[in-house]
Amino acid sequence: MSTDTTTETQPSAQHVADSHGLIRVHGARENNLKDVSIEIPKRRLTVFTGVSGSGKSSLVFNTIAAESQRMINETYSAFVQGFMPTLARPEVDVLDGLTTAIIVDQQRMGADPRSTVGTATDANAMLRILFSRLGQPHIGSPNAFSFNVPTVRASGAITVERGNKKAERATYTRLGGMCPRCEGRGTVSDIDLTQLYDDSKSIAEGAFTIPGWKSDSWWTVRTYAASGFLDPNKPIRDFTKQEMQDFLYREPTKVKVEGSTLTYEGLIPRIQKSFLSKDREGMQPHIREFVDRAVTFTTCPECDGTRLSEAARSSRIAGINIADACAMQISDLVEWVRGLDEPSVRPLLTALLRTLESFVEIGLGYLSLDRPAGTLSGGEAQRTKMIRHLGSSLTDVTYVFDEPTAGLHPHDIQRMNNLLLRLRDKGNTVLVVEHKPEVIAIADHVVDLGPGAGTAGGTVCFEGTVEGLRAAGTITGRHLDDRAKLKQAVRKPTGTLEIRGATTHNLQDVDVDIPLGVLAVITGVAGSGKSSLVHGSIPRGAGVVSVDQSPIRGSRRSNPATYTGLLDPIRKAFAKANGVKPALFSANSEGACPGCNGAGVVYTDLGIMASVSSTCEECEGKRFQAAVLDYKLGGRDISEVLAMPVTEAEEFFGAGEARTPAAHAILERLASVGLGYLTIGQPLTTLSGGERQRLKLATHMADKGGVYVLDEPTNGLHLADVEQLLGLLDRLVDAGKSVIVIEHHQAVMAHADWIIDLGPGAGHDGGRVVFEGTPADLVAARSTLTGEHLADYVGA
């Protein structure tokens, strides 16, 4: 008895397993990090903040999350690792206390035209099983309801290896749900032949006007000449009916060309394979421009855009077929599934309902399952990826989020905060890269990186609580309580852009006048129809410059100089000063170092192990031949110029011997969007999301247009950078431009001359104009969700 009492009163010693409560990072040097050493508490919510380009992603994604994934991959067999991406160990001395990392980033979903919200989240797979079990009439297995599976029929003789072998007659049928007309894409294309070739010329004379098709190329001339189907020296308009048929539509046919066998194929099938099988958003700008010009996409008349065969659409449950179910708004689909009472498929209904309810809970109830995945914004894609983790039974894992509030209205941010806290409260470590003060406020631990961006960043300026950050005096601490003031006086419009009867997506016959010559902001909750109104009703083209959220694509060889066109005037200036060819000053052309082919690094492939990259010994990472570096401009060689920050290069090309007005103008634009610290030769792959957004804005500022349409330009911007962005927007308007901004950030709303608020809800609950007027009127009225949040923000 006394022994028991003694045992109860003695303080229990901490178990050694409970002592590992920290993730320790020591000596991190990835990208611009400068020997960063920090300790992150486990099972807590830690927010990483700092100006764009300060090293947040380098620390969280490229160091902590990357090493966790690499170590997990190493637990698989060598055979399995051969099929997985090989990851190099991050530049860090010590990483201790890591747990399994689940990365939920803002990478757009695959731009495959066959990928939809339903296929990306497995909701479609469950629906297909449901219809194969309960659909009437019963038509077949789940494949019969998949728009990615074509119907296959085959018959012939097969030999069965059993006893006496003998050939047997067999017929095989696999019923798929793909619409045979559009092949599961939902759209069919009509090609304008006048955009493909000039019929007054012959093929040998260069008739083709397709990007990348050179009529004098070996393949083009020899294949057409050797095919015998047409005369390559005859103008296309003089072709006979048969020649035209072979030229445009001939099926793939083997032809002999100078002893080699090549495949000859009609022009239309070749165009469809090389251009139309790819998603438009994933194409290079000049290819996309050609496709927009030459190809008209219309809804498939056979399946009416549902992508499904007639058989798949004939099977119904409670009067609804699978195409109707996928077209429903998910919040409505939840109610329909909830109304199905069928004990034989109850586990399936439970799992499907849980997935669909997660959509609603995360604020995506306005989507439909047939929405193409490539059309989701970065924020929507990130929240869609979160769905599979919401009901997860996993604990003690590390969730890594990249600005989870991107694209969210202030009204929805609280909901996102609750989800982050719920993941933490289940015993998980939650790491969030974020700029929004509303998210920083709920953090258990804050890591502030900086003090500046690029080479001026990469150090830890503060580590501790939110209250400690406010008192710390760092850039983030000073700006944490910043609140933009309402304008005392707003600009008067110089005209209006009339939109009448807009019905794109969920817009409900909207009539609205957008004022010109001022800063107009279109706002509303996520899914209320903002992008549909602006991008669907304001035609791109003459006078309209549209800067959307599509990501910048670029390899390690791309950099701000190549992306903005800055390298062209620089190369010409070097060539003129030294009396040589401009191509010598390109690391992707004649001037490239032969040792590394102009990459600056040499990659050694070690099979299943991570590839090792080392600085090229021949050029010492400068990317150019030694002879090219002998040519100078203003006392600098080309590698030294590419190593300059934008501000230094702006000064260099602005005066003196190196004065180059064309280069100076581009550098001025880069500096004006806050990228003065960026090295002009820095690979695009190392830029943060906010830096890429501003790089794109700087490039489009050169376009000749009177109306600028910007889609959430504050994405990825620190509170201090938002102030600079507002100054840039003011300069554009003061220069006589009209600026239309789709935005959720209250600082931009407060700074607007005119606000158009869409809502009141999302999906079919939105699509209407609920307010138009000045920010002051919106705050005074408090009649909408946006009005209430803006009033709280400005302290009205």
PDB file of all heavy atoms in Angstrom, residues 65-99:
ATOM      1  N   ALA A  65      12.330  20.104 -46.229  1.00  0.00           N
ATOM      2  CA  ALA A  65      11.427  19.164 -46.904  1.00  0.00           C
ATOM      3  C   ALA A  65      12.181  18.290 -47.904  1.00  0.00           C
ATOM      4  O   ALA A  65      11.907  17.093 -48.023  1.00  0.00           O
ATOM      5  CB  ALA A  65      10.311  19.936 -47.606  1.00  0.00           C
ATOM      6  N   ALA A  66      13.152  18.882 -48.609  1.00  0.00           N
ATOM      7  CA  ALA A  66      13.896  18.121 -49.621  1.00  0.00           C
ATOM      8  C   ALA A  66      14.698  16.995 -48.977  1.00  0.00           C
ATOM      9  O   ALA A  66      14.740  15.869 -49.485  1.00  0.00           O
ATOM     10  CB  ALA A  66      14.824  19.053 -50.396  1.00  0.00           C
ATOM     11  N   GLU A  67      15.345  17.264 -47.838  1.00  0.00           N
ATOM     12  CA  GLU A  67      16.142  16.225 -47.173  1.00  0.00           C
ATOM     13  C   GLU A  67      15.243  15.125 -46.616  1.00  0.00           C
ATOM     14  O   GLU A  67      15.589  13.941 -46.660  1.00  0.00           O
ATOM     15  CB  GLU A  67      16.987  16.858 -46.061  1.00  0.00           C
ATOM     16  CG  GLU A  67      17.837  15.887 -45.279  1.00  0.00           C
ATOM     17  CD  GLU A  67      18.916  15.181 -46.101  1.00  0.00           C
ATOM     18  OE1 GLU A  67      18.999  15.402 -47.335  1.00  0.00           O
ATOM     19  OE2 GLU A  67      19.678  14.398 -45.511  1.00  0.00           O
ATOM     20  N   SER A  68      14.081  15.503 -46.083  1.00  0.00           N
ATOM     21  CA  SER A  68      13.139  14.499 -45.581  1.00  0.00           C
ATOM     22  C   SER A  68      12.712  13.559 -46.706  1.00  0.00           C
ATOM     23  O   SER A  68      12.733  12.334 -46.551  1.00  0.00           O
ATOM     24  CB  SER A  68      11.910  15.189 -44.976  1.00  0.00           C
ATOM     25  OG  SER A  68      10.932  14.244 -44.648  1.00  0.00           O
ATOM     26  N   GLN A  69      12.367  14.131 -47.854  1.00  0.00           N
ATOM     27  CA  GLN A  69      11.948  13.301 -48.993  1.00  0.00           C
ATOM     28  C   GLN A  69      13.089  12.433 -49.500  1.00  0.00           C
ATOM     29  O   GLN A  69      12.893  11.264 -49.836  1.00  0.00           O
ATOM     30  CB  GLN A  69      11.445  14.205 -50.125  1.00  0.00           C
ATOM     31  CG  GLN A  69      10.087  14.813 -49.832  1.00  0.00           C
ATOM     32  CD  GLN A  69       9.294  15.055 -51.097  1.00  0.00           C
ATOM     33  OE1 GLN A  69       9.832  15.558 -52.076  1.00  0.00           O
ATOM     34  NE2 GLN A  69       8.020  14.710 -51.079  1.00  0.00           N
ATOM     35  N   ARG A  70      14.299  12.997 -49.540  1.00  0.00           N
ATOM     36  CA  ARG A  70      15.449  12.234 -50.028  1.00  0.00           C
ATOM     37  C   ARG A  70      15.711  11.024 -49.130  1.00  0.00           C
ATOM     38  O   ARG A  70      15.969   9.914 -49.608  1.00  0.00           O
ATOM     39  CB  ARG A  70      16.683  13.136 -50.073  1.00  0.00           C
ATOM     40  CG  ARG A  70      17.910  12.501 -50.721  1.00  0.00           C
ATOM     41  CD  ARG A  70      19.130  13.399 -50.598  1.00  0.00           C
ATOM     42  NE  ARG A  70      19.638  13.431 -49.245  1.00  0.00           N
ATOM     43  CZ  ARG A  70      20.481  12.524 -48.738  1.00  0.00           C
ATOM     44  NH1 ARG A  70      20.878  11.517 -49.477  1.00  0.00           N
ATOM     45  NH2 ARG A  70      20.911  12.625 -47.499  1.00  0.00           N
ATOM     46  N   MET A  71      15.619  11.219 -47.812  1.00  0.00           N
ATOM     47  CA  MET A  71      15.910  10.131 -46.884  1.00  0.00           C
ATOM     48  C   MET A  71      14.832   9.046 -46.938  1.00  0.00           C
ATOM     49  O   MET A  71      15.129   7.851 -46.785  1.00  0.00           O
ATOM     50  CB  MET A  71      16.054  10.689 -45.464  1.00  0.00           C
ATOM     51  CG  MET A  71      17.251  11.619 -45.331  1.00  0.00           C
ATOM     52  SD  MET A  71      17.553  12.164 -43.658  1.00  0.00           S
ATOM     53  CE  MET A  71      18.440  10.772 -43.005  1.00  0.00           C
ATOM     54  N   ILE A  72      13.597   9.454 -47.170  1.00  0.00           N
ATOM     55  CA  ILE A  72      12.525   8.457 -47.320  1.00  0.00           C
ATOM     56  C   ILE A  72      12.749   7.654 -48.601  1.00  0.00           C
ATOM     57  O   ILE A  72      12.614   6.430 -48.618  1.00  0.00           O
ATOM     58  CB  ILE A  72      11.145   9.148 -47.327  1.00  0.00           C
ATOM     59  CG1 ILE A  72      10.823   9.653 -45.926  1.00  0.00           C
ATOM     60  CG2 ILE A  72      10.054   8.199 -47.803  1.00  0.00           C
ATOM     61  CD1 ILE A  72       9.664  10.585 -45.847  1.00  0.00           C
ATOM     62  N   ASN A  73      13.112   8.342 -49.686  1.00  0.00           N
ATOM     63  CA  ASN A  73      13.364   7.645 -50.954  1.00  0.00           C
ATOM     64  C   ASN A  73      14.484   6.600 -50.814  1.00  0.00           C
ATOM     65  O   ASN A  73      14.457   5.560 -51.452  1.00  0.00           O
ATOM     66  CB  ASN A  73      13.748   8.641 -52.054  1.00  0.00           C
ATOM     67  CG  ASN A  73      12.553   9.460 -52.513  1.00  0.00           C
ATOM     68  OD1 ASN A  73      11.445   9.290 -52.008  1.00  0.00           O
ATOM     69  ND2 ASN A  73      12.774  10.358 -53.455  1.00  0.00           N
ATOM     70  N   GLU A  74      15.463   6.917 -49.949  1.00  0.00           N
ATOM     71  CA  GLU A  74      16.583   5.992 -49.774  1.00  0.00           C
ATOM     72  C   GLU A  74      16.188   4.696 -49.076  1.00  0.00           C
ATOM     73  O   GLU A  74      16.936   3.723 -49.086  1.00  0.00           O
ATOM     74  CB  GLU A  74      17.704   6.675 -48.982  1.00  0.00           C
ATOM     75  CG  GLU A  74      18.531   7.633 -49.833  1.00  0.00           C
ATOM     76  CD  GLU A  74      19.758   8.148 -49.091  1.00  0.00           C
ATOM     77  OE1 GLU A  74      19.876   7.883 -47.873  1.00  0.00           O
ATOM     78  OE2 GLU A  74      20.592   8.804 -49.727  1.00  0.00           O
ATOM     79  N   THR A  75      15.005   4.672 -48.454  1.00  0.00           N
ATOM     80  CA  THR A  75      14.567   3.445 -47.771  1.00  0.00           C
ATOM     81  C   THR A  75      14.029   2.418 -48.761  1.00  0.00           C
ATOM     82  O   THR A  75      13.836   1.260 -48.406  1.00  0.00           O
ATOM     83  CB  THR A  75      13.470   3.748 -46.732  1.00  0.00           C
ATOM     84  OG1 THR A  75      12.317   4.262 -47.405  1.00  0.00           O
ATOM     85  CG2 THR A  75      13.952   4.761 -45.709  1.00  0.00           C
ATOM     86  N   TYR A  76      13.761   2.842 -50.007  1.00  0.00           N
ATOM     87  CA  TYR A  76      13.262   1.909 -51.012  1.00  0.00           C
ATOM     88  C   TYR A  76      14.423   1.144 -51.640  1.00  0.00           C
ATOM     89  O   TYR A  76      15.578   1.563 -51.571  1.00  0.00           O
ATOM     90  CB  TYR A  76      12.482   2.657 -52.100  1.00  0.00           C
ATOM     91  CG  TYR A  76      11.252   3.357 -51.588  1.00  0.00           C
ATOM     92  CD1 TYR A  76      11.180   4.748 -51.536  1.00  0.00           C
ATOM     93  CD2 TYR A  76      10.156   2.634 -51.142  1.00  0.00           C
ATOM     94  CE1 TYR A  76      10.065   5.399 -51.050  1.00  0.00           C
ATOM     95  CE2 TYR A  76       9.024   3.275 -50.659  1.00  0.00           C
ATOM     96  CZ  TYR A  76       8.983   4.651 -50.606  1.00  0.00           C
ATOM     97  OH  TYR A  76       7.867   5.273 -50.127  1.00  0.00           O
ATOM     98  N   SER A  77      14.088   0.041 -52.293  1.00  0.00           N
ATOM     99  CA  SER A  77      15.125  -0.759 -52.948  1.00  0.00           C
ATOM    100  C   SER A  77      15.717   0.015 -54.126  1.00  0.00           C
ATOM    101  O   SER A  77      15.096   0.943 -54.649  1.00  0.00           O
ATOM    102  CB  SER A  77      14.526  -2.073 -53.456  1.00  0.00           C
ATOM    103  OG  SER A  77      13.619  -1.808 -54.512  1.00  0.00           O
ATOM    104  N   ALA A  78      16.922  -0.398 -54.547  1.00  0.00           N
ATOM    105  CA  ALA A  78      17.588   0.264 -55.671  1.00  0.00           C
ATOM    106  C   ALA A  78      16.727   0.198 -56.922  1.00  0.00           C
ATOM    107  O   ALA A  78      16.693   1.139 -57.723  1.00  0.00           O
ATOM    108  CB  ALA A  78      18.944  -0.382 -55.926  1.00  0.00           C
ATOM    109  N   PHE A  79      15.996  -0.906 -57.092  1.00  0.00           N
ATOM    110  CA  PHE A  79      15.137  -1.057 -58.266  1.00  0.00           C
ATOM    111  C   PHE A  79      14.042   0.015 -58.272  1.00  0.00           C
ATOM    112  O   PHE A  79      13.814   0.686 -59.277  1.00  0.00           O
ATOM    113  CB  PHE A  79      14.495  -2.453 -58.270  1.00  0.00           C
ATOM    114  CG  PHE A  79      13.486  -2.648 -59.367  1.00  0.00           C
ATOM    115  CD1 PHE A  79      13.905  -2.851 -60.681  1.00  0.00           C
ATOM    116  CD2 PHE A  79      12.127  -2.615 -59.096  1.00  0.00           C
ATOM    117  CE1 PHE A  79      12.967  -3.018 -61.692  1.00  0.00           C
ATOM    118  CE2 PHE A  79      11.197  -2.783 -60.099  1.00  0.00           C
ATOM    119  CZ  PHE A  79      11.625  -2.991 -61.413  1.00  0.00           C
ATOM    120  N   VAL A  80      13.382   0.203 -57.122  1.00  0.00           N
ATOM    121  CA  VAL A  80      12.302   1.201 -57.032  1.00  0.00           C
ATOM    122  C   VAL A  80      12.875   2.604 -57.190  1.00  0.00           C
ATOM    123  O   VAL A  80      12.285   3.459 -57.863  1.00  0.00           O
ATOM    124  CB  VAL A  80      11.541   1.057 -55.690  1.00  0.00           C
ATOM    125  CG1 VAL A  80      10.530   2.181 -55.527  1.00  0.00           C
ATOM    126  CG2 VAL A  80      10.849  -0.296 -55.618  1.00  0.00           C
ATOM    127  N   GLN A  81      14.047   2.863 -56.575  1.00  0.00           N
ATOM    128  CA  GLN A  81      14.646   4.203 -56.666  1.00  0.00           C
ATOM    129  C   GLN A  81      14.961   4.592 -58.103  1.00  0.00           C
ATOM    130  O   GLN A  81      14.976   5.765 -58.446  1.00  0.00           O
ATOM    131  CB  GLN A  81      15.936   4.246 -55.840  1.00  0.00           C
ATOM    132  CG  GLN A  81      15.706   4.269 -54.344  1.00  0.00           C
ATOM    133  CD  GLN A  81      17.003   4.413 -53.581  1.00  0.00           C
ATOM    134  OE1 GLN A  81      17.788   5.329 -53.834  1.00  0.00           O
ATOM    135  NE2 GLN A  81      17.258   3.509 -52.648  1.00  0.00           N
ATOM    136  N   GLY A  82      15.199   3.565 -58.955  1.00  0.00           N
ATOM    137  CA  GLY A  82      15.475   3.838 -60.365  1.00  0.00           C
ATOM    138  C   GLY A  82      14.319   4.513 -61.073  1.00  0.00           C
ATOM    139  O   GLY A  82      14.497   5.171 -62.098  1.00  0.00           O
ATOM    140  N   PHE A  83      13.089   4.370 -60.523  1.00  0.00           N
ATOM    141  CA  PHE A  83      11.904   4.983 -61.144  1.00  0.00           C
ATOM    142  C   PHE A  83      11.528   6.302 -60.474  1.00  0.00           C
ATOM    143  O   PHE A  83      10.554   6.933 -60.859  1.00  0.00           O
ATOM    144  CB  PHE A  83      10.707   4.022 -61.044  1.00  0.00           C
ATOM    145  CG  PHE A  83      10.896   2.755 -61.824  1.00  0.00           C
ATOM    146  CD1 PHE A  83      11.348   1.604 -61.197  1.00  0.00           C
ATOM    147  CD2 PHE A  83      10.649   2.715 -63.187  1.00  0.00           C
ATOM    148  CE1 PHE A  83      11.542   0.436 -61.904  1.00  0.00           C
ATOM    149  CE2 PHE A  83      10.839   1.552 -63.902  1.00  0.00           C
ATOM    150  CZ  PHE A  83      11.287   0.408 -63.272  1.00  0.00           C
ATOM    151  N   MET A  84      12.269   6.690 -59.442  1.00  0.00           N
ATOM    152  CA  MET A  84      11.925   7.896 -58.682  1.00  0.00           C
ATOM    153  C   MET A  84      12.894   9.019 -59.035  1.00  0.00           C
ATOM    154  O   MET A  84      14.009   8.759 -59.487  1.00  0.00           O
ATOM    155  CB  MET A  84      11.995   7.602 -57.180  1.00  0.00           C
ATOM    156  CG  MET A  84      11.089   6.464 -56.749  1.00  0.00           C
ATOM    157  SD  MET A  84      11.334   6.015 -55.034  1.00  0.00           S
ATOM    158  CE  MET A  84      10.363   7.240 -54.228  1.00  0.00           C
ATOM    159  N   PRO A  85      12.456  10.277 -58.833  1.00  0.00           N
ATOM    160  CA  PRO A  85      13.388  11.377 -59.095  1.00  0.00           C
ATOM    161  C   PRO A  85      14.562  11.313 -58.130  1.00  0.00           C
ATOM    162  O   PRO A  85      14.382  11.041 -56.944  1.00  0.00           O
ATOM    163  CB  PRO A  85      12.540  12.637 -58.845  1.00  0.00           C
ATOM    164  CG  PRO A  85      11.397  12.180 -58.004  1.00  0.00           C
ATOM    165  CD  PRO A  85      11.150  10.752 -58.371  1.00  0.00           C
ATOM    166  N   THR A  86      15.773  11.516 -58.645  1.00  0.00           N
ATOM    167  CA  THR A  86      16.955  11.481 -57.781  1.00  0.00           C
ATOM    168  C   THR A  86      17.174  12.868 -57.187  1.00  0.00           C
ATOM    169  O   THR A  86      17.194  13.863 -57.905  1.00  0.00           O
ATOM    170  CB  THR A  86      18.203  11.050 -58.578  1.00  0.00           C
ATOM    171  OG1 THR A  86      18.319  11.871 -59.737  1.00  0.00           O
ATOM    172  CG2 THR A  86      18.104   9.596 -58.988  1.00  0.00           C
ATOM    173  N   LEU A  87      17.297  12.928 -55.880  1.00  0.00           N
ATOM    174  CA  LEU A  87      17.429  14.207 -55.187  1.00  0.00           C
ATOM    175  C   LEU A  87      18.817  14.302 -54.572  1.00  0.00           C
ATOM    176  O   LEU A  87      19.280  13.364 -53.916  1.00  0.00           O
ATOM    177  CB  LEU A  87      16.366  14.316 -54.079  1.00  0.00           C
ATOM    178  CG  LEU A  87      14.911  14.135 -54.529  1.00  0.00           C
ATOM    179  CD1 LEU A  87      14.002  13.985 -53.320  1.00  0.00           C
ATOM    180  CD2 LEU A  87      14.471  15.328 -55.371  1.00  0.00           C
ATOM    181  N   ALA A  88      19.460  15.440 -54.775  1.00  0.00           N
ATOM    182  CA  ALA A  88      20.785  15.654 -54.182  1.00  0.00           C
ATOM    183  C   ALA A  88      20.611  16.117 -52.740  1.00  0.00           C
ATOM    184  O   ALA A  88      19.601  16.731 -52.385  1.00  0.00           O
ATOM    185  CB  ALA A  88      21.540  16.704 -54.985  1.00  0.00           C
ATOM    186  N   ARG A  89      21.598  15.828 -51.893  1.00  0.00           N
ATOM    187  CA  ARG A  89      21.522  16.280 -50.500  1.00  0.00           C
ATOM    188  C   ARG A  89      21.673  17.802 -50.465  1.00  0.00           C
ATOM    189  O   ARG A  89      22.566  18.354 -51.102  1.00  0.00           O
ATOM    190  CB  ARG A  89      22.637  15.634 -49.674  1.00  0.00           C
ATOM    191  CG  ARG A  89      22.479  15.916 -48.177  1.00  0.00           C
ATOM    192  CD  ARG A  89      23.604  15.296 -47.369  1.00  0.00           C
ATOM    193  NE  ARG A  89      23.322  15.409 -45.941  1.00  0.00           N
ATOM    194  CZ  ARG A  89      23.546  16.514 -45.218  1.00  0.00           C
ATOM    195  NH1 ARG A  89      24.065  17.580 -45.795  1.00  0.00           N
ATOM    196  NH2 ARG A  89      23.268  16.537 -43.926  1.00  0.00           N
ATOM    197  N   PRO A  90      20.806  18.488 -49.712  1.00  0.00           N
ATOM    198  CA  PRO A  90      20.909  19.957 -49.654  1.00  0.00           C
ATOM    199  C   PRO A  90      22.236  20.399 -49.050  1.00  0.00           C
ATOM    200  O   PRO A  90      22.898  19.629 -48.326  1.00  0.00           O
ATOM    201  CB  PRO A  90      19.736  20.356 -48.742  1.00  0.00           C
ATOM    202  CG  PRO A  90      18.842  19.179 -48.676  1.00  0.00           C
ATOM    203  CD  PRO A  90      19.686  17.979 -48.913  1.00  0.00           C
ATOM    204  N   GLU A  91      22.609  21.641 -49.343  1.00  0.00           N
ATOM    205  CA  GLU A  91      23.837  22.215 -48.784  1.00  0.00           C
ATOM    206  C   GLU A  91      23.569  22.584 -47.320  1.00  0.00           C
ATOM    207  O   GLU A  91      23.098  23.680 -47.010  1.00  0.00           O
ATOM    208  CB  GLU A  91      24.218  23.480 -49.574  1.00  0.00           C
ATOM    209  CG  GLU A  91      24.846  23.206 -50.917  1.00  0.00           C
ATOM    210  CD  GLU A  91      26.304  22.802 -50.779  1.00  0.00           C
ATOM    211  OE1 GLU A  91      27.047  23.473 -50.045  1.00  0.00           O
ATOM    212  OE2 GLU A  91      26.689  21.792 -51.385  1.00  0.00           O
ATOM    213  N   VAL A  92      23.830  21.657 -46.404  1.00  0.00           N
ATOM    214  CA  VAL A  92      23.587  21.896 -44.978  1.00  0.00           C
ATOM    215  C   VAL A  92      24.520  20.979 -44.185  1.00  0.00           C
ATOM    216  O   VAL A  92      24.807  19.852 -44.605  1.00  0.00           O
ATOM    217  CB  VAL A  92      22.097  21.658 -44.622  1.00  0.00           C
ATOM    218  CG1 VAL A  92      21.682  20.219 -44.916  1.00  0.00           C
ATOM    219  CG2 VAL A  92      21.782  22.038 -43.188  1.00  0.00           C
ATOM    220  N   ASP A  93      24.999  21.467 -43.028  1.00  0.00           N
ATOM    221  CA  ASP A  93      25.921  20.658 -42.220  1.00  0.00           C
ATOM    222  C   ASP A  93      25.171  19.603 -41.420  1.00  0.00           C
ATOM    223  O   ASP A  93      25.510  18.431 -41.446  1.00  0.00           O
ATOM    224  CB  ASP A  93      26.721  21.564 -41.272  1.00  0.00           C
ATOM    225  CG  ASP A  93      27.656  22.491 -42.039  1.00  0.00           C
ATOM    226  OD1 ASP A  93      28.042  22.132 -43.167  1.00  0.00           O
ATOM    227  OD2 ASP A  93      27.962  23.586 -41.527  1.00  0.00           O
ATOM    228  N   VAL A  94      24.132  20.033 -40.684  1.00  0.00           N
ATOM    229  CA  VAL A  94      23.386  19.108 -39.820  1.00  0.00           C
ATOM    230  C   VAL A  94      21.884  19.332 -39.998  1.00  0.00           C
ATOM    231  O   VAL A  94      21.420  20.471 -40.001  1.00  0.00           O
ATOM    232  CB  VAL A  94      23.745  19.323 -38.319  1.00  0.00           C
ATOM    233  CG1 VAL A  94      22.924  18.396 -37.428  1.00  0.00           C
ATOM    234  CG2 VAL A  94      25.224  19.111 -38.084  1.00  0.00           C
ATOM    235  N   LEU A  95      21.154  18.226 -40.170  1.00  0.00           N
ATOM    236  CA  LEU A  95      19.681  18.269 -40.151  1.00  0.00           C
ATOM    237  C   LEU A  95      19.251  17.143 -39.228  1.00  0.00           C
ATOM    238  O   LEU A  95      19.463  15.965 -39.531  1.00  0.00           O
ATOM    239  CB  LEU A  95      19.116  18.042 -41.559  1.00  0.00           C
ATOM    240  CG  LEU A  95      18.762  19.280 -42.356  1.00  0.00           C
ATOM    241  CD1 LEU A  95      18.320  18.899 -43.759  1.00  0.00           C
ATOM    242  CD2 LEU A  95      17.657  20.090 -41.688  1.00  0.00           C
ATOM    243  N   ASP A  96      18.676  17.493 -38.098  1.00  0.00           N
ATOM    244  CA  ASP A  96      18.382  16.500 -37.084  1.00  0.00           C
ATOM    245  C   ASP A  96      16.913  16.597 -36.674  1.00  0.00           C
ATOM    246  O   ASP A  96      16.331  17.687 -36.672  1.00  0.00           O
ATOM    247  CB  ASP A  96      19.291  16.781 -35.874  1.00  0.00           C
ATOM    248  CG  ASP A  96      19.341  15.620 -34.919  1.00  0.00           C
ATOM    249  OD1 ASP A  96      19.175  14.478 -35.382  1.00  0.00           O
ATOM    250  OD2 ASP A  96      19.541  15.865 -33.720  1.00  0.00           O
ATOM    251  N   GLY A  97      16.309  15.453 -36.330  1.00  0.00           N
ATOM    252  CA  GLY A  97      14.922  15.464 -35.837  1.00  0.00           C
ATOM    253  C   GLY A  97      13.874  15.556 -36.922  1.00  0.00           C
ATOM    254  O   GLY A  97      12.731  15.919 -36.661  1.00  0.00           O
ATOM    255  N   LEU A  98      14.246  15.232 -38.171  1.00  0.00           N
ATOM    256  CA  LEU A  98      13.279  15.316 -39.266  1.00  0.00           C
ATOM    257  C   LEU A  98      12.195  14.252 -39.135  1.00  0.00           C
ATOM    258  O   LEU A  98      12.445  13.150 -38.643  1.00  0.00           O
ATOM    259  CB  LEU A  98      13.979  15.125 -40.614  1.00  0.00           C
ATOM    260  CG  LEU A  98      14.935  16.210 -41.079  1.00  0.00           C
ATOM    261  CD1 LEU A  98      15.544  15.816 -42.413  1.00  0.00           C
ATOM    262  CD2 LEU A  98      14.226  17.546 -41.206  1.00  0.00           C
ATOM    263  N   THR A  99      10.998  14.583 -39.586  1.00  0.00           N
ATOM    264  CA  THR A  99       9.934  13.585 -39.719  1.00  0.00           C
ATOM    265  C   THR A  99       9.496  13.572 -41.175  1.00  0.00           C
ATOM    266  O   THR A  99       9.918  14.418 -41.967  1.00  0.00           O
ATOM    267  CB  THR A  99       8.725  13.911 -38.820  1.00  0.00           C
ATOM    268  OG1 THR A  99       8.092  15.103 -39.307  1.00  0.00           O
ATOM    269  CG2 THR A  99       9.135  14.112 -37.382  1.00  0.00           C
TER     270      THR A  99
END
